[in-house]
Every structure is written in C-alpha cells, then in structure tokens.
C-alpha cells in the first residue's frame, strides 16, 4: 500500500498542499506542522497535485 511522507524539516508551511487537497493534508496548530488527516489516505489525483506543486518538494508517495 502506498504511503505519503512529509519531510517537515524542509516544509515551509506554505499551505499549498492543504489548499489543493484538504481531505488529506492539514495544518496542526499545536505542532505547527503539516500532517495527514488519516494514516492510509487514498492516493488521489489531488494528492498527486499536492506532491507536484509542493515548492519544497518535501511530499513523497512511497510504494
Ligand atoms: S506544499 Fe510542501 S512546503 Fe507547502 S505546506 Fe505542504 S508540505 Fe509544506
């Protein structure tokens, strides 16, 4: 099963992924980091868009 990894070290909290795919990505106000809404989200076209448009290239889909 594919997994989505976010390298929060490189993430700039630009919110692009949240805007493109709020079903899967959200900003956790407590940790101040982007997190996933579920452990095994479906890899939809919106997820792929978020990966493609992340300016820091810090979202990875791992198979
Ligand atoms: S698009 Fe990339 S850099 Fe921007 S908030 Fe999402 S993970 Fe972070």
């Amino acid at each position: 099963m594919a997994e989505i990894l976010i390298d929060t070290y490189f993430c700039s909290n630009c919110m692009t992924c949240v805007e493109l795919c709020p079903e899967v990505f959200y900003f956790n106000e407590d940790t101040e980091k982007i997190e996933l809404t579920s452990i095994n989200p479906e890899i939809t076209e919106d997820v792929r868009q978020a990966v493609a448009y992340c300016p820091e290239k810090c979202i990875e889909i791992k198979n």
Side-chain angles (χ1 to χ4, degrees):
M1 187 178 285
E3 203 184 343
I4 302 171
L5 302 175
I6 305 167
D7 189 337
T8 52
Y9 180 80
F10 290 104
C11 172
S12 60
N13 289 348
C14 73
M15 301 293 165
T16 300
C17 56
V18 179
E19 282 163 26
L20 289 173
C21 188
E23 313 79 47
V24 170
F25 300 96
Y26 79 103
F27 180 68
N28 183 325
E29 305 266 354
D30 295 327
T31 62
E32 298 189 338
K33 290 189 190 312
I34 300 293
E35 294 182 9
L36 301 173
T37 54
S38 68
I39 296 167
N40 272 319
E42 196 185 332
I43 310 299
T44 59
E45 190 50 39
D46 285 352
V47 171
R48 294 190 190 283
Q49 289 271 319
V51 172
Y53 287 102
C54 170
E56 308 302 335
K57 295 284 170 242
C58 61
I59 310 171
E60 191 188 345
I61 299 172
K62 216 169 168 181
N63 291 299

